[in-house]
Amino acid sequence: MRRIDMRIAIMGTGGVGGFFGAKLAASGADVTFIARGAHGAAIAERGLTIDSPAHPVAGLAVRVTDDPARVGPVDVVMVAVKLWDTAAAAEQLRPMVGPDTVVISFQNGIEAGPLLQAALGPAHVAGGVAHISATIAAPGVIRQVGSLARIIFGAFGGGTDPRLAAFSEACRAAGIEHTLSPDIDRAIWEKFVFLSAFSAITALTRKPIGDIRTDADLRAFLRDAASETAAVARAGGVAIAPEQVDKVLAAADNLPAATRASMAHDLERGARLELPWLSGTVVKLGAELGVPTPVHRAVWCALKLHAGGR
């Protein structure tokens, strides 16, 4: 594969940033990972490992730092921090943003992109979606469940962007399954319909998707949660197709039975939850738009006392 001359920074070396950043680095791309604490120290000492049935990487030597100011301007910043860290990350990554840098949010939810645009300027920010089940299994180790690993990215509001076209070439060179979308706004909402429901049900039940999809009551609960988010999206003017909820159920059926959302893993570990930006956002927007959201309200009320972690 042809090597792409591009400098890339990974802001948030968790399941998403660690996995796709490792793929780019393994292809020979110039990639710097921003990672702190024991995770960053382990990567610096032993390299970055991807424990994956389909995309294994063992002890990949990569450039890692806890200080974005040491990196300097890059071509692309992939942002994959937790949603509550978005504002802080926007300030920390400023030294990596030059006149032509594009910052792509691959975070969950629907609010990260606008927050980054407000902080860095709309011209510097693009939207992204990551489809993968992966978490930090141990310092320096990313574990993937299943083989699904795909990203979608594009310019907010549509249109073409040569910076994103160049990043698409880098992804192609790295063997990353990806789509350069002409309508990333809708793609983000389509994932939100799935993720808000998937996160809500796997976290609330403390069970993997295999147990949920085979139980008639819980399968209906999953469908109702996705239907609520889709209804909120349509009320807000997003063109979510009528069959999108069916696609959520089909996607759930195709996941490995052991798959759980990252919020379910965080709940189990006693870590902070993205709940306010997932079910919480559905409830908030539903109230504003006059759309009933009883499933997400139940999840919000049941889990909100856990949202701050132990």
Side-chain angles (χ1 to χ4, degrees):
M1 292 183 179
R2 182 168 64 90
R3 180 174 174 176
I4 302 298
D5 184 17
M6 172 176 282
R7 295 194 73 213
I8 301 167
I10 308 298
M11 191 72 182
T13 310
V16 171
F19 180 91
F20 290 106
K23 292 278 286 182
L24 288 160
S27 76
D30 183 350
V31 182
T32 301
F33 295 82
I34 310 301
R36 297 178 171 80
H39 190 47
I43 294 171
E45 181 180 348
R46 301 188 295 273
L48 181 58
T49 291
I50 308 298
D51 178 5
S52 165
H55 312 276
V57 176
L60 179 68
V62 297
R63 188 180 300 112
V64 59
T65 181
D66 62 359
D67 183 5
R70 296 180 183 175
V71 181
V74 298
D75 298 298
V76 176
V77 181
M78 296 180 68
V79 179
V81 302
K82 292 292 189 179
L83 289 165
W84 57 79
D85 279 333
T86 303
E91 294 304 314
Q92 292 160 6
L93 66 80
R94 284 185 187 277
M96 300 191 296
V97 178
D100 298 318
T101 301
V102 61
V103 177
I104 311 173
S105 168
F106 288 100
Q107 298 160 269
N108 291 330
I110 56 172
E111 296 169 296
L115 284 172
L116 290 170
Q117 286 181 309
L120 302 171
H124 284 296
V125 179
V129 171
H131 292 284
I132 186 172
S133 178
T135 59
I136 299 175
V141 179
I142 305 298
R143 179 169 296 143
Q144 181 192 17
V145 176
S147 60
L148 176 64
R150 177 167 57 93
I151 54 175
I152 306 171
F153 50 89
F156 283 118
T160 59
D161 188 325
R163 301 170 300 180
L164 297 178
F167 182 60
S168 175
E169 287 298 314
C171 290
R172 186 173 293 109
I176 294 174
E177 184 181 349
H178 70 284
T179 301
L180 178 53
S181 173
D183 191 358
I184 193 62
D185 305 82
R186 186 170 66 176
I188 289 170
W189 266 98
E190 287 175 346
K191 182 186 177 180
F192 190 55
V193 171
F194 171 81
L195 183 66
S196 60
F198 177 55
S199 296
I201 306 308
T202 57
L204 184 66
T205 62
R206 276 75 159 176
K207 291 291 185 179
I209 193 62
D211 293 338
I212 292 164
R213 69 193 180 202
T214 55
D215 181 280
D217 292 326
L218 293 176
R219 188 178 183 89
F221 201 50
L222 177 66
R223 172 179 283 279
D224 289 345
S227 296
E228 286 179 7
T229 307
V232 167
R234 293 187 192 102
V238 182
I240 296 294
E243 63 270 19
Q244 190 62 37
V245 173
D246 290 331
K247 289 182 178 180
V248 169
L249 272 294
D253 287 335
N254 287 325
L255 289 172
T259 308
R260 294 183 295 164
S262 60
M263 190 170 80
H265 289 287
D266 290 338
L267 179 65
E268 184 178 72
R269 295 187 295 110
R272 192 174 177 182
L273 307 182
E274 290 187 321
L275 179 71
W277 296 271
L278 298 175
S279 287
T281 288
V282 177
V283 171
K284 179 183 69 175
L285 292 178
E288 293 173 359
L289 296 167
V291 177
T293 56
V295 170
H296 284 286
R297 181 170 294 279
V299 173
W300 167 247
C301 291
L303 296 180
K304 66 181 299 186
L305 296 182
H306 299 277
R310 294 196 190 106

